[in-house]
PDB file of all heavy atoms in Angstrom:
ATOM      1  N   ALA A 624      89.362  83.227 100.955  1.00  0.00           N
ATOM      2  CA  ALA A 624      89.548  84.465 100.403  1.00  0.00           C
ATOM      3  C   ALA A 624      90.456  85.417 101.253  1.00  0.00           C
ATOM      4  O   ALA A 624      90.284  85.465 102.509  1.00  0.00           O
ATOM      5  CB  ALA A 624      88.193  85.203 100.188  1.00  0.00           C
ATOM      6  N   ILE A 625      91.379  86.214 100.640  1.00  0.00           N
ATOM      7  CA  ILE A 625      92.020  87.231 101.323  1.00  0.00           C
ATOM      8  C   ILE A 625      91.368  88.546 100.890  1.00  0.00           C
ATOM      9  O   ILE A 625      91.168  88.938  99.840  1.00  0.00           O
ATOM     10  CB  ILE A 625      93.476  87.278 100.778  1.00  0.00           C
ATOM     11  CG1 ILE A 625      94.166  85.925 101.082  1.00  0.00           C
ATOM     12  CG2 ILE A 625      94.262  88.481 101.422  1.00  0.00           C
ATOM     13  CD1 ILE A 625      94.629  85.744 102.536  1.00  0.00           C
ATOM     14  N   LEU A 626      91.019  89.324 102.006  1.00  0.00           N
ATOM     15  CA  LEU A 626      90.413  90.638 101.752  1.00  0.00           C
ATOM     16  C   LEU A 626      91.491  91.632 102.195  1.00  0.00           C
ATOM     17  O   LEU A 626      92.025  91.637 103.337  1.00  0.00           O
ATOM     18  CB  LEU A 626      89.233  90.852 102.703  1.00  0.00           C
ATOM     19  CG  LEU A 626      87.887  90.175 102.204  1.00  0.00           C
ATOM     20  CD1 LEU A 626      88.059  88.800 101.892  1.00  0.00           C
ATOM     21  CD2 LEU A 626      86.720  90.459 103.222  1.00  0.00           C
ATOM     22  N   ILE A 627      91.822  92.520 101.288  1.00  0.00           N
ATOM     23  CA  ILE A 627      92.922  93.463 101.485  1.00  0.00           C
ATOM     24  C   ILE A 627      92.347  94.890 101.483  1.00  0.00           C
ATOM     25  O   ILE A 627      91.680  95.400 100.639  1.00  0.00           O
ATOM     26  CB  ILE A 627      93.935  93.410 100.418  1.00  0.00           C
ATOM     27  CG1 ILE A 627      94.472  91.996 100.254  1.00  0.00           C
ATOM     28  CG2 ILE A 627      95.105  94.430 100.635  1.00  0.00           C
ATOM     29  CD1 ILE A 627      95.489  91.670  99.098  1.00  0.00           C
ATOM     30  N   LEU A 628      92.632  95.724 102.537  1.00  0.00           N
ATOM     31  CA  LEU A 628      92.407  97.124 102.593  1.00  0.00           C
ATOM     32  C   LEU A 628      93.684  97.891 102.188  1.00  0.00           C
ATOM     33  O   LEU A 628      94.642  97.757 102.851  1.00  0.00           O
ATOM     34  CB  LEU A 628      91.971  97.581 104.064  1.00  0.00           C
ATOM     35  CG  LEU A 628      90.696  96.989 104.595  1.00  0.00           C
ATOM     36  CD1 LEU A 628      90.347  97.433 105.903  1.00  0.00           C
ATOM     37  CD2 LEU A 628      89.423  97.433 103.625  1.00  0.00           C
ATOM     38  N   ALA A 629      93.641  98.586 101.083  1.00  0.00           N
ATOM     39  CA  ALA A 629      94.837  99.199 100.571  1.00  0.00           C
ATOM     40  C   ALA A 629      94.563 100.698 100.310  1.00  0.00           C
ATOM     41  O   ALA A 629      93.471 101.082  99.952  1.00  0.00           O
ATOM     42  CB  ALA A 629      95.156  98.605  99.224  1.00  0.00           C
ATOM     43  N   HIS A 630      95.605 101.444 100.698  1.00  0.00           N
ATOM     44  CA  HIS A 630      95.498 102.895 100.425  1.00  0.00           C
ATOM     45  C   HIS A 630      96.709 103.485  99.789  1.00  0.00           C
ATOM     46  O   HIS A 630      96.768 104.745  99.454  1.00  0.00           O
ATOM     47  CB  HIS A 630      95.149 103.612 101.824  1.00  0.00           C
ATOM     48  CG  HIS A 630      96.464 103.689 102.776  1.00  0.00           C
ATOM     49  ND1 HIS A 630      96.787 102.536 103.483  1.00  0.00           N
ATOM     50  CD2 HIS A 630      97.301 104.584 103.028  1.00  0.00           C
ATOM     51  CE1 HIS A 630      97.817 102.795 104.205  1.00  0.00           C
ATOM     52  NE2 HIS A 630      98.171 104.094 103.953  1.00  0.00           N
ATOM     53  N   GLN A 635     103.127  97.295  95.099  1.00  0.00           N
ATOM     54  CA  GLN A 635     103.329  96.387  96.114  1.00  0.00           C
ATOM     55  C   GLN A 635     102.128  95.427  96.383  1.00  0.00           C
ATOM     56  O   GLN A 635     102.222  94.148  96.538  1.00  0.00           O
ATOM     57  CB  GLN A 635     103.763  97.039  97.447  1.00  0.00           C
ATOM     58  CG  GLN A 635     103.993  96.063  98.630  1.00  0.00           C
ATOM     59  CD  GLN A 635     104.490  96.805  99.844  1.00  0.00           C
ATOM     60  OE1 GLN A 635     105.393  97.595  99.729  1.00  0.00           O
ATOM     61  NE2 GLN A 635     103.821  96.509 100.925  1.00  0.00           N
ATOM     62  N   VAL A 636     100.892  95.985  96.378  1.00  0.00           N
ATOM     63  CA  VAL A 636      99.642  95.342  96.498  1.00  0.00           C
ATOM     64  C   VAL A 636      99.491  94.279  95.443  1.00  0.00           C
ATOM     65  O   VAL A 636      99.054  93.152  95.533  1.00  0.00           O
ATOM     66  CB  VAL A 636      98.398  96.273  96.736  1.00  0.00           C
ATOM     67  CG1 VAL A 636      97.170  95.486  96.735  1.00  0.00           C
ATOM     68  CG2 VAL A 636      98.629  97.191  97.844  1.00  0.00           C
ATOM     69  N   ILE A 637      99.817  94.704  94.237  1.00  0.00           N
ATOM     70  CA  ILE A 637      99.765  93.850  93.090  1.00  0.00           C
ATOM     71  C   ILE A 637     100.699  92.695  93.171  1.00  0.00           C
ATOM     72  O   ILE A 637     100.322  91.483  92.994  1.00  0.00           O
ATOM     73  CB  ILE A 637     100.067  94.670  91.717  1.00  0.00           C
ATOM     74  CG1 ILE A 637      99.026  95.600  91.443  1.00  0.00           C
ATOM     75  CG2 ILE A 637     100.305  93.735  90.600  1.00  0.00           C
ATOM     76  CD1 ILE A 637      99.172  96.630  90.317  1.00  0.00           C
ATOM     77  N   LEU A 639     101.792  91.499  96.087  1.00  0.00           N
ATOM     78  CA  LEU A 639     101.195  90.611  97.125  1.00  0.00           C
ATOM     79  C   LEU A 639     100.046  89.785  96.608  1.00  0.00           C
ATOM     80  O   LEU A 639     100.011  88.529  96.892  1.00  0.00           O
ATOM     81  CB  LEU A 639     100.688  91.601  98.294  1.00  0.00           C
ATOM     82  CG  LEU A 639      99.904  90.924  99.452  1.00  0.00           C
ATOM     83  CD1 LEU A 639     100.769  90.022 100.193  1.00  0.00           C
ATOM     84  CD2 LEU A 639      99.400  92.035 100.238  1.00  0.00           C
ATOM     85  N   SER A 640      99.251  90.405  95.815  1.00  0.00           N
ATOM     86  CA  SER A 640      98.191  89.539  95.214  1.00  0.00           C
ATOM     87  C   SER A 640      98.641  88.439  94.311  1.00  0.00           C
ATOM     88  O   SER A 640      97.986  87.353  94.324  1.00  0.00           O
ATOM     89  CB  SER A 640      97.247  90.553  94.309  1.00  0.00           C
ATOM     90  OG  SER A 640      96.707  91.584  95.149  1.00  0.00           O
ATOM     91  N   ASN A 641      99.755  88.656  93.607  1.00  0.00           N
ATOM     92  CA  ASN A 641     100.284  87.750  92.697  1.00  0.00           C
ATOM     93  C   ASN A 641     100.757  86.490  93.398  1.00  0.00           C
ATOM     94  O   ASN A 641     100.595  85.366  92.976  1.00  0.00           O
ATOM     95  CB  ASN A 641     101.407  88.351  91.923  1.00  0.00           C
ATOM     96  CG  ASN A 641     101.832  87.449  90.689  1.00  0.00           C
ATOM     97  OD1 ASN A 641     101.111  86.842  90.120  1.00  0.00           O
ATOM     98  ND2 ASN A 641     103.133  87.439  90.492  1.00  0.00           N
ATOM     99  N   LEU A 643      99.543  85.468  96.290  1.00  0.00           N
ATOM    100  CA  LEU A 643      98.471  84.841  97.036  1.00  0.00           C
ATOM    101  C   LEU A 643      97.441  84.156  96.183  1.00  0.00           C
ATOM    102  O   LEU A 643      96.759  83.304  96.592  1.00  0.00           O
ATOM    103  CB  LEU A 643      97.811  85.815  97.964  1.00  0.00           C
ATOM    104  CG  LEU A 643      98.601  86.448  99.140  1.00  0.00           C
ATOM    105  CD1 LEU A 643      97.888  87.624  99.748  1.00  0.00           C
ATOM    106  CD2 LEU A 643      98.938  85.378 100.175  1.00  0.00           C
ATOM    107  N   GLU A 648      91.277  83.327  96.756  1.00  0.00           N
ATOM    108  CA  GLU A 648      90.526  84.434  95.926  1.00  0.00           C
ATOM    109  C   GLU A 648      90.915  85.751  96.613  1.00  0.00           C
ATOM    110  O   GLU A 648      90.920  85.865  97.796  1.00  0.00           O
ATOM    111  CB  GLU A 648      88.989  84.214  95.996  1.00  0.00           C
ATOM    112  CG  GLU A 648      88.556  82.904  95.330  1.00  0.00           C
ATOM    113  CD  GLU A 648      88.723  83.056  93.919  1.00  0.00           C
ATOM    114  OE1 GLU A 648      88.309  84.030  93.256  1.00  0.00           O
ATOM    115  OE2 GLU A 648      89.325  82.066  93.331  1.00  0.00           O
ATOM    116  N   ILE A 649      91.220  86.777  95.720  1.00  0.00           N
ATOM    117  CA  ILE A 649      91.725  88.030  96.274  1.00  0.00           C
ATOM    118  C   ILE A 649      90.510  89.141  96.034  1.00  0.00           C
ATOM    119  O   ILE A 649      90.030  89.241  94.931  1.00  0.00           O
ATOM    120  CB  ILE A 649      92.982  88.430  95.546  1.00  0.00           C
ATOM    121  CG1 ILE A 649      93.933  87.374  95.625  1.00  0.00           C
ATOM    122  CG2 ILE A 649      93.509  89.756  96.230  1.00  0.00           C
ATOM    123  CD1 ILE A 649      94.421  86.870  96.983  1.00  0.00           C
ATOM    124  N   TYR A 650      90.307  89.810  97.183  1.00  0.00           N
ATOM    125  CA  TYR A 650      89.332  90.941  97.069  1.00  0.00           C
ATOM    126  C   TYR A 650      90.168  92.131  97.712  1.00  0.00           C
ATOM    127  O   TYR A 650      90.668  92.078  98.832  1.00  0.00           O
ATOM    128  CB  TYR A 650      88.060  90.674  97.895  1.00  0.00           C
ATOM    129  CG  TYR A 650      87.232  89.541  97.357  1.00  0.00           C
ATOM    130  CD1 TYR A 650      87.510  88.236  97.570  1.00  0.00           C
ATOM    131  CD2 TYR A 650      86.072  89.937  96.487  1.00  0.00           C
ATOM    132  CE1 TYR A 650      86.759  87.213  97.037  1.00  0.00           C
ATOM    133  CE2 TYR A 650      85.399  88.850  95.929  1.00  0.00           C
ATOM    134  CZ  TYR A 650      85.660  87.540  96.151  1.00  0.00           C
ATOM    135  OH  TYR A 650      84.922  86.640  95.674  1.00  0.00           O
ATOM    136  N   ILE A 651      90.145  93.212  97.003  1.00  0.00           N
ATOM    137  CA  ILE A 651      90.769  94.491  97.414  1.00  0.00           C
ATOM    138  C   ILE A 651      89.944  95.644  97.533  1.00  0.00           C
ATOM    139  O   ILE A 651      89.133  95.953  96.478  1.00  0.00           O
ATOM    140  CB  ILE A 651      92.050  94.768  96.535  1.00  0.00           C
ATOM    141  CG1 ILE A 651      92.872  93.585  96.353  1.00  0.00           C
ATOM    142  CG2 ILE A 651      92.781  95.936  97.055  1.00  0.00           C
ATOM    143  CD1 ILE A 651      93.976  93.732  95.309  1.00  0.00           C
ATOM    144  N   HIS A 652      89.925  96.398  98.549  1.00  0.00           N
ATOM    145  CA  HIS A 652      89.302  97.757  98.552  1.00  0.00           C
ATOM    146  C   HIS A 652      90.498  98.754  98.462  1.00  0.00           C
ATOM    147  O   HIS A 652      91.333  98.756  99.313  1.00  0.00           O
ATOM    148  CB  HIS A 652      88.521  97.995  99.903  1.00  0.00           C
ATOM    149  CG  HIS A 652      87.921  99.370  99.810  1.00  0.00           C
ATOM    150  ND1 HIS A 652      88.629 100.570 100.178  1.00  0.00           N
ATOM    151  CD2 HIS A 652      86.634  99.774  99.398  1.00  0.00           C
ATOM    152  CE1 HIS A 652      87.832 101.586  99.906  1.00  0.00           C
ATOM    153  NE2 HIS A 652      86.629 101.201  99.631  1.00  0.00           N
ATOM    154  N   ILE A 653      90.439  99.573  97.446  1.00  0.00           N
ATOM    155  CA  ILE A 653      91.346 100.610  97.230  1.00  0.00           C
ATOM    156  C   ILE A 653      90.805 102.007  97.657  1.00  0.00           C
ATOM    157  O   ILE A 653      89.832 102.269  97.064  1.00  0.00           O
ATOM    158  CB  ILE A 653      91.876 100.663  95.836  1.00  0.00           C
ATOM    159  CG1 ILE A 653      92.560  99.244  95.384  1.00  0.00           C
ATOM    160  CG2 ILE A 653      92.858 101.772  95.562  1.00  0.00           C
ATOM    161  CD1 ILE A 653      92.877  99.108  93.941  1.00  0.00           C
ATOM    162  N   ASP A 654      91.400 102.671  98.582  1.00  0.00           N
ATOM    163  CA  ASP A 654      90.932 103.921  98.981  1.00  0.00           C
ATOM    164  C   ASP A 654      90.658 104.862  97.746  1.00  0.00           C
ATOM    165  O   ASP A 654      91.505 104.931  96.847  1.00  0.00           O
ATOM    166  CB  ASP A 654      92.064 104.629  99.853  1.00  0.00           C
ATOM    167  CG  ASP A 654      91.530 105.894 100.543  1.00  0.00           C
ATOM    168  OD1 ASP A 654      90.623 106.554 100.097  1.00  0.00           O
ATOM    169  OD2 ASP A 654      92.264 106.216 101.634  1.00  0.00           O
ATOM    170  N   VAL A 672      91.852  89.770  89.929  1.00  0.00           N
ATOM    171  CA  VAL A 672      91.521  90.111  91.232  1.00  0.00           C
ATOM    172  C   VAL A 672      90.275  90.934  91.356  1.00  0.00           C
ATOM    173  O   VAL A 672      89.959  91.695  90.368  1.00  0.00           O
ATOM    174  CB  VAL A 672      92.769  91.144  91.812  1.00  0.00           C
ATOM    175  CG1 VAL A 672      92.280  91.926  92.949  1.00  0.00           C
ATOM    176  CG2 VAL A 672      94.014  90.242  92.066  1.00  0.00           C
ATOM    177  N   ASN A 673      89.411  90.787  92.428  1.00  0.00           N
ATOM    178  CA  ASN A 673      88.253  91.462  92.584  1.00  0.00           C
ATOM    179  C   ASN A 673      88.520  92.763  93.329  1.00  0.00           C
ATOM    180  O   ASN A 673      88.944  92.692  94.552  1.00  0.00           O
ATOM    181  CB  ASN A 673      87.269  90.670  93.403  1.00  0.00           C
ATOM    182  CG  ASN A 673      87.038  89.326  92.789  1.00  0.00           C
ATOM    183  OD1 ASN A 673      86.305  89.175  91.862  1.00  0.00           O
ATOM    184  ND2 ASN A 673      87.658  88.246  93.268  1.00  0.00           N
ATOM    185  N   TYR A 674      88.413  93.941  92.831  1.00  0.00           N
ATOM    186  CA  TYR A 674      88.754  95.100  93.537  1.00  0.00           C
ATOM    187  C   TYR A 674      87.698  96.189  93.350  1.00  0.00           C
ATOM    188  O   TYR A 674      87.048  96.256  92.261  1.00  0.00           O
ATOM    189  CB  TYR A 674      90.101  95.671  93.042  1.00  0.00           C
ATOM    190  CG  TYR A 674      90.151  96.286  91.745  1.00  0.00           C
ATOM    191  CD1 TYR A 674      90.001  97.695  91.549  1.00  0.00           C
ATOM    192  CD2 TYR A 674      90.451  95.542  90.543  1.00  0.00           C
ATOM    193  CE1 TYR A 674      90.142  98.272  90.291  1.00  0.00           C
ATOM    194  CE2 TYR A 674      90.588  96.062  89.307  1.00  0.00           C
ATOM    195  CZ  TYR A 674      90.337  97.479  89.217  1.00  0.00           C
ATOM    196  OH  TYR A 674      90.517  98.028  87.949  1.00  0.00           O
ATOM    197  N   ILE A 675      87.464  96.890  94.359  1.00  0.00           N
ATOM    198  CA  ILE A 675      86.502  97.911  94.554  1.00  0.00           C
ATOM    199  C   ILE A 675      87.092  99.212  95.099  1.00  0.00           C
ATOM    200  O   ILE A 675      88.120  99.124  95.662  1.00  0.00           O
ATOM    201  CB  ILE A 675      85.234  97.532  95.287  1.00  0.00           C
ATOM    202  CG1 ILE A 675      85.607  97.109  96.692  1.00  0.00           C
ATOM    203  CG2 ILE A 675      84.447  96.410  94.564  1.00  0.00           C
ATOM    204  CD1 ILE A 675      84.384  96.844  97.617  1.00  0.00           C
ATOM    205  N   ALA A 690      84.382 100.166 104.398  1.00  0.00           N
ATOM    206  CA  ALA A 690      85.073  99.623 103.333  1.00  0.00           C
ATOM    207  C   ALA A 690      85.255  98.059 103.549  1.00  0.00           C
ATOM    208  O   ALA A 690      85.129  97.255 102.674  1.00  0.00           O
ATOM    209  CB  ALA A 690      86.606 100.282 103.206  1.00  0.00           C
ATOM    210  N   THR A 691      85.408  97.622 104.859  1.00  0.00           N
ATOM    211  CA  THR A 691      85.505  96.257 105.212  1.00  0.00           C
ATOM    212  C   THR A 691      84.228  95.587 104.896  1.00  0.00           C
ATOM    213  O   THR A 691      84.198  94.408 104.444  1.00  0.00           O
ATOM    214  CB  THR A 691      85.945  96.114 106.605  1.00  0.00           C
ATOM    215  OG1 THR A 691      87.054  96.925 106.934  1.00  0.00           O
ATOM    216  CG2 THR A 691      86.141  94.655 107.101  1.00  0.00           C
ATOM    217  N   LEU A 694      83.710  95.010 101.345  1.00  0.00           N
ATOM    218  CA  LEU A 694      84.497  93.856 100.749  1.00  0.00           C
ATOM    219  C   LEU A 694      83.841  92.485 101.235  1.00  0.00           C
ATOM    220  O   LEU A 694      83.801  91.578 100.383  1.00  0.00           O
ATOM    221  CB  LEU A 694      85.897  93.910 101.376  1.00  0.00           C
ATOM    222  CG  LEU A 694      87.017  94.619 100.668  1.00  0.00           C
ATOM    223  CD1 LEU A 694      88.386  94.436 101.421  1.00  0.00           C
ATOM    224  CD2 LEU A 694      87.137  94.108  99.215  1.00  0.00           C
ATOM    225  N   HIS A 708      90.032  86.108 105.299  1.00  0.00           N
ATOM    226  CA  HIS A 708      91.185  86.696 105.997  1.00  0.00           C
ATOM    227  C   HIS A 708      91.316  88.083 105.770  1.00  0.00           C
ATOM    228  O   HIS A 708      91.544  88.519 104.479  1.00  0.00           O
ATOM    229  CB  HIS A 708      92.513  85.968 105.587  1.00  0.00           C
ATOM    230  CG  HIS A 708      92.354  84.393 105.688  1.00  0.00           C
ATOM    231  ND1 HIS A 708      92.293  83.755 106.798  1.00  0.00           N
ATOM    232  CD2 HIS A 708      92.110  83.581 104.664  1.00  0.00           C
ATOM    233  CE1 HIS A 708      92.101  82.387 106.581  1.00  0.00           C
ATOM    234  NE2 HIS A 708      92.057  82.302 105.264  1.00  0.00           N
ATOM    235  N   LEU A 709      91.280  89.020 106.721  1.00  0.00           N
ATOM    236  CA  LEU A 709      91.408  90.437 106.401  1.00  0.00           C
ATOM    237  C   LEU A 709      92.826  90.948 106.709  1.00  0.00           C
ATOM    238  O   LEU A 709      93.280  90.740 107.859  1.00  0.00           O
ATOM    239  CB  LEU A 709      90.337  91.208 107.376  1.00  0.00           C
ATOM    240  CG  LEU A 709      90.313  92.730 107.178  1.00  0.00           C
ATOM    241  CD1 LEU A 709      89.906  93.110 105.777  1.00  0.00           C
ATOM    242  CD2 LEU A 709      89.402  93.388 108.167  1.00  0.00           C
ATOM    243  N   ILE A 710      93.470  91.519 105.821  1.00  0.00           N
ATOM    244  CA  ILE A 710      94.798  92.038 105.934  1.00  0.00           C
ATOM    245  C   ILE A 710      94.912  93.511 105.325  1.00  0.00           C
ATOM    246  O   ILE A 710      93.969  93.871 104.600  1.00  0.00           O
ATOM    247  CB  ILE A 710      95.883  91.228 105.281  1.00  0.00           C
ATOM    248  CG1 ILE A 710      95.715  91.122 103.701  1.00  0.00           C
ATOM    249  CG2 ILE A 710      95.887  89.677 105.879  1.00  0.00           C
ATOM    250  CD1 ILE A 710      96.838  90.277 103.002  1.00  0.00           C
ATOM    251  N   SER A 711      96.062  94.048 105.509  1.00  0.00           N
ATOM    252  CA  SER A 711      96.177  95.528 104.916  1.00  0.00           C
ATOM    253  C   SER A 711      97.063  95.256 103.755  1.00  0.00           C
ATOM    254  O   SER A 711      97.744  94.306 103.513  1.00  0.00           O
ATOM    255  CB  SER A 711      96.826  96.464 105.947  1.00  0.00           C
ATOM    256  OG  SER A 711      98.132  96.240 105.952  1.00  0.00           O
ATOM    257  N   GLY A 712      97.139  96.376 102.903  1.00  0.00           N
ATOM    258  CA  GLY A 712      98.067  96.411 101.810  1.00  0.00           C
ATOM    259  C   GLY A 712      99.479  96.488 102.239  1.00  0.00           C
ATOM    260  O   GLY A 712     100.503  96.419 101.336  1.00  0.00           O
ATOM    261  N   GLN A 713      99.780  96.684 103.517  1.00  0.00           N
ATOM    262  CA  GLN A 713     101.181  96.741 103.975  1.00  0.00           C
ATOM    263  C   GLN A 713     101.459  95.489 104.739  1.00  0.00           C
ATOM    264  O   GLN A 713     102.482  95.394 105.538  1.00  0.00           O
ATOM    265  CB  GLN A 713     101.270  97.962 104.837  1.00  0.00           C
ATOM    266  CG  GLN A 713     101.255  99.241 104.165  1.00  0.00           C
ATOM    267  CD  GLN A 713     101.390 100.426 105.086  1.00  0.00           C
ATOM    268  OE1 GLN A 713     100.556 100.724 105.929  1.00  0.00           O
ATOM    269  NE2 GLN A 713     102.550 101.043 104.982  1.00  0.00           N
ATOM    270  N   ASP A 714     100.756  94.322 104.618  1.00  0.00           N
ATOM    271  CA  ASP A 714     101.023  93.105 105.081  1.00  0.00           C
ATOM    272  C   ASP A 714     101.800  92.165 104.036  1.00  0.00           C
ATOM    273  O   ASP A 714     101.754  92.458 102.925  1.00  0.00           O
ATOM    274  CB  ASP A 714      99.758  92.376 105.400  1.00  0.00           C
ATOM    275  CG  ASP A 714      99.105  92.894 106.765  1.00  0.00           C
ATOM    276  OD1 ASP A 714      99.357  94.035 107.124  1.00  0.00           O
ATOM    277  OD2 ASP A 714      98.285  92.196 107.382  1.00  0.00           O
ATOM    278  N   TRP A 804      92.589  93.045 112.154  1.00  0.00           N
ATOM    279  CA  TRP A 804      93.141  92.083 111.164  1.00  0.00           C
ATOM    280  C   TRP A 804      92.717  90.638 111.740  1.00  0.00           C
ATOM    281  O   TRP A 804      93.340  90.182 112.722  1.00  0.00           O
ATOM    282  CB  TRP A 804      94.642  92.134 110.972  1.00  0.00           C
ATOM    283  CG  TRP A 804      94.938  93.637 110.821  1.00  0.00           C
ATOM    284  CD1 TRP A 804      95.761  94.492 111.544  1.00  0.00           C
ATOM    285  CD2 TRP A 804      94.460  94.465 109.731  1.00  0.00           C
ATOM    286  NE1 TRP A 804      95.802  95.726 111.035  1.00  0.00           N
ATOM    287  CE2 TRP A 804      95.076  95.803 109.885  1.00  0.00           C
ATOM    288  CE3 TRP A 804      93.743  94.205 108.522  1.00  0.00           C
ATOM    289  CZ2 TRP A 804      94.906  96.872 109.008  1.00  0.00           C
ATOM    290  CZ3 TRP A 804      93.433  95.249 107.755  1.00  0.00           C
ATOM    291  CH2 TRP A 804      94.031  96.610 107.911  1.00  0.00           C
ATOM    292  N   PHE A 890     101.185  86.391 108.904  1.00  0.00           N
ATOM    293  CA  PHE A 890     101.433  87.612 108.252  1.00  0.00           C
ATOM    294  C   PHE A 890     102.133  88.594 109.109  1.00  0.00           C
ATOM    295  O   PHE A 890     102.134  88.480 110.395  1.00  0.00           O
ATOM    296  CB  PHE A 890     100.042  88.320 107.931  1.00  0.00           C
ATOM    297  CG  PHE A 890      99.217  87.446 106.899  1.00  0.00           C
ATOM    298  CD1 PHE A 890      98.217  86.649 107.304  1.00  0.00           C
ATOM    299  CD2 PHE A 890      99.472  87.621 105.541  1.00  0.00           C
ATOM    300  CE1 PHE A 890      97.456  85.899 106.427  1.00  0.00           C
ATOM    301  CE2 PHE A 890      98.664  86.927 104.580  1.00  0.00           C
ATOM    302  CZ  PHE A 890      97.739  86.037 105.034  1.00  0.00           C
TER     303      PHE A 890
END
Side-chain angles (χ1 to χ4, degrees):
I625 299 279
L626 280 56
I627 303 173
L628 293 179
H630 70 283
Q635 178 177 311
V636 174
I637 290 170
L639 173 63
S640 302
N641 191 40
L643 292 170
E648 294 294 307
I649 309 297
Y650 293 82
I651 307 173
H652 181 278
I653 299 172
D654 190 339
V672 163
N673 306 279
Y674 71 94
I675 56 174
T691 306
L694 269 185
H708 313 283
L709 182 63
I710 67 174
S711 83
Q713 293 177 288
D714 286 21
W804 315 117
F890 293 96

